[in-house]
Amino acid sequence: MSNNSPLIDGENRAVRYLRLSVTDRCNLDCVYCRGVDRPDFIPCDRVLRYEHMLRFAGIVKNMGVTKIRLTGGEPLVRKDCAAFMRRLRSEFPDLDLALTTNGVLLESYLDTLKEIRPVSVNVSLDSFNEADYLKLTGHNSLSIVQANISALLEAGIKVKINAVAIKGVTDAGIDAFLKFASEYPVDVRFIEFMPMGRGTIWKKASFLPASRLLELASGRLDLTPARDPESTSGPARMYDIKDGAGRLGFISALTSHFCASCNRLRLTSEGNLRTCLFDDREYRLGGALRDPRVSDAKIAAIVRAACRTKAVGARLLSGRRRRAVADGGMVGIGG
Ligand code: SAM
């Protein structure tokens, strides 16, 4: 098989989407992301250089990956991330590029984003209430993030808001989310809180299922399932809002898995390949990516072999007894 033939996993799913974590460092301390263990950061000398991330991007692009999302940690805290984004765009003009960010540092990236034309910028924003935002993220940055979202919209960049659903916070504050999605052309998406990492603070009492949020939203707005293909292919169930500018989405990461349509790979900032969020097997590609004697074909063969046993996360979880859905915290994996 040539290393350019499409990447199909052992369950016959085409792999087309790479989530690339450029750093495990972050400028916020979101309680659901890092947990109480607060793992050490990866030492700088083990973090992949941008040139090696570009190499990996080229290899998987040749295998049929069409979309790369930069994530982290917080991708925008890594030095020279703007230059990296520009290089990704210039080397791979036909790739869909996307970014997931907490939005705090966006202002100084606006020119770069206008230039690289991301398919979307996903901004994590868990509450429109200052006290709740502070409690969840450990920082007082709500007004900065709101201003930066406005700037993205003014620049004509597609914005998706990601809110981790937490009982007592998201349901209590739902009106602000609904107002925002009604007034602005954004996708507001609620993500079920997953117990990621052994030190997770997740507990049943704080779990708010997507179905409950949909029920609350449907009681307040006239919602109809969105029809466009983009909305039906991703993990979010999207809804149009009657007379609203934006849309609502519900990501039932725990209560209803979307494994059958999973098209993702993840590369951590250390160069570890993860084929399923819930599968802790990681394939260490850092050494190979750094080594010019290891050919792209050899690395492609490792990726292909890893995908052959890409897990079905729901099956993995059904056999597990412990609370955490993965050993690693989200901050190191990238969401
Ligand atoms: N720093 C960036 C940000 O804040 O979006 C990117 C990294 S963050 C790990 C990526 C996404 O994972 C965010 O949307 C975040 O809300 C989500 N996330 C983190 N921990 C989560 C958890 N335990 N359950 C569900 N989503 C989580």
Side-chain angles (χ1 to χ4, degrees), residues 77-96:
V77 300
R78 181 156 174 192
K79 195 162 172 270
D80 297 330
C81 191
F84 175 54
M85 289 191 227
R86 289 197 168 102
R87 267 197 76 189
L88 265 175
R89 172 47 74 229
S90 68
E91 289 196 20
F92 309 111
D94 50 346
L95 260 187
D96 286 344

Side-chain angles (χ1 to χ4, degrees), residues 155-175:
I157 294 169
K158 169 86 187 160
V159 175
K160 299 183 184 180
I161 305 293
N162 286 344
V164 175
I166 304 202
K167 202 174 196 165
V169 178
T170 321
D171 41 0
I174 194 163
D175 287 325

